[in-house]
Amino acid sequence: DIQLTQSPSSLSASVGDRVTITCRASQSISTYLSWYQQKPGKAPKLLIFAASKLQSGVPSRFSGSGAGTDFTLTISSLQPEDFATYYCLQSFTSLVLSFGGGTKVEI
Amino acid sequence: QVQLQESGPGLVKPSRTLSLTCTVSGGSVRSGADYWSWIRQSPGKGLEWIGFIFHSGSPYYTPSLKSRLVISVDTSNNQLSLRLNSVTAADTAIYYCARMKREGGNYYFDVWGQGILVTVSS
């Protein structure tokens, strides 16, 4: 099975900061990666798919990059509504999907 | 737009079967462009993909649950269902249904239900 390791597991940041979250795969997954934002008590929300494609309606301050084993989610200027937990998901093995452990972004 | 709503019992006794339904509105489970999936999240923990199904195909399950799990679609009622048998406390979680899209080899979840908390306890 493909394992996804996110780092850091949590981070503290301030409004306006540039924030970068990393997702590392245990083997190459091409660009078969998506990113999700989850706020407390809410369902996750799709931000990025295919490693770098911005989902419709998602603010452009969110961006994704990477291929192979190393991926990043960047928030260019952190806003108050961005404090949440972020997860990556791989679909390289399309019959067995897996999530990363999550990164909590807090003040 | 497509909306998903999970329903079912919030409390299940150990060793019994957990049964959930996801009602799809604003779209059809027979859509040739969509897959339908279940994901769960144990309290305070991360997300775990459970399985997915295409309306005309076989379901696919995460290996750790495969022996206890059945996912199916009911096209007449436009619903997705999940049955997990022989449950234990470890199956206590929020269960989400989600629409899964495919773009080439990329699969991703673009619409989620609000989730339903299921507690396994006697």
Side-chain angles (χ1 to χ4, degrees), chain B residues 41-54:
Chain B
Q41 186 170 35
S42 299
K45 302 296 185 182
L47 299 166
E48 178 184 19
W49 171 74
I50 295 175
F52 73 84
I53 189 168
F54 189 63

Side-chain angles (χ1 to χ4, degrees), chain B residues 87-105:
Chain B
V87 297
T88 70
D91 296 310
T92 293
I94 298 171
Y95 286 78
Y96 296 99
C97 59
R99 184 177 74 174
M100 191 167 78
K101 303 293 284 188
R102 176 184 177 182
E103 184 179 286

Side-chain angles (χ1 to χ4, degrees), chain B residues 3-121:
Chain B
Q3 293 185 312
L4 308 177
Q5 178 68 59
E6 303 89 350
S7 59
L11 181 64
V12 180
K13 294 184 185 302
S15 80
R16 301 290 182 90
T17 297
L18 183 164
S19 296
L20 298 175
T21 297
C22 173
T23 300
V24 179
S25 58
S28 172
V29 294
R30 287 176 288 188
S31 167
D34 301 329
Y35 297 76
W36 304 95
S37 190
W38 288 96
I39 297 131
R40 70 181 183 179
Q41 186 170 35
S42 299
K45 302 296 185 182
L47 299 166
E48 178 184 19
W49 171 74
I50 295 175
F52 73 84
I53 189 168
F54 189 63
H55 70 89
S56 62
S58 300
Y60 295 94
Y61 304 135
T62 190
S64 64
L65 297 177
K66 187 174 182 178
S67 64
R68 301 192 288 129
L69 182 62
V70 176
I71 293 176
S72 60
V73 291
D74 178 351
T75 55
S76 59
N77 289 305
N78 214 30
Q79 292 177 329
L80 171 71
S81 68
L82 174 151
R83 287 174 57 87
L84 182 65
N85 60 37
S86 304
V87 297
T88 70
D91 296 310
T92 293
I94 298 171
Y95 286 78
Y96 296 99
C97 59
R99 184 177 74 174
M100 191 167 78
K101 303 293 284 188
R102 176 184 177 182
E103 184 179 286
N106 266 288
Y107 294 80
Y108 53 92
F109 305 113
D110 70 330
V111 179
W112 296 66
Q114 66 183 29
I116 183 169
L117 174 62
V118 179
T119 301
V120 178
S121 175

